Amino acid sequence: MVRAFGEIDIITAPRLRHWLAAAFEVHRAVVLELSEVTFMDCSGLGVLVQARNQADQCDGRLVLQGAARPVARLLKLTGLHRRLAAEF
């Protein structure tokens, strides 16, 4: 499980990308806990898409868990909730 918190933006997205990539090097299924994320911009969405692609390459799975209302709304507005396994 990878836990994200605070804002996921152009400054913090590379760190999240690193942790998700490291998790997929060890595990086929990774849960990204988003309940403490207060903001996400397009950089964060890009990280999620890249992590999903990485999961597909290793026949793995990325699950988003606990997205707060602003993040859940962003995922629904962009249609990414259909591509990403999301539990919120």
Side-chain angles (χ1 to χ4, degrees):
M1 178 177 283
V2 175
R3 292 183 190 270
F5 57 90
E7 298 182 355
I8 302 174
D9 56 20
I10 195 165
I11 301 298
T12 60
R15 192 171 348 151
L16 179 59
R17 180 178 290 116
H18 166 78
W19 285 110
L20 288 169
F24 276 114
E25 288 179 11
V26 179
H27 306 284
R28 290 181 57 207
V30 174
V31 175
L32 176 57
E33 170 58 48
L34 296 168
S35 63
E36 295 184 40
V37 174
T38 58
F39 173 81
M40 181 183 291
D41 69 5
C42 61
S43 302
L45 293 176
V47 169
L48 298 181
V49 170
Q50 185 177 21
R52 168 60 197 269
N53 291 340
Q54 186 177 4
D56 289 346
Q57 290 174 355
C58 68
D59 197 28
R61 184 169 183 211
L62 172 66
V63 177
L64 306 182
Q65 180 176 297
R69 186 176 214 159
V71 175
R73 184 170 185 260
L74 180 62
L75 293 170
K76 288 179 183 176
L77 285 173
T78 59
L80 283 175
H81 71 288
R82 290 188 298 257
R83 186 156 187 257
L84 301 167
E87 300 172 2
F88 48 84

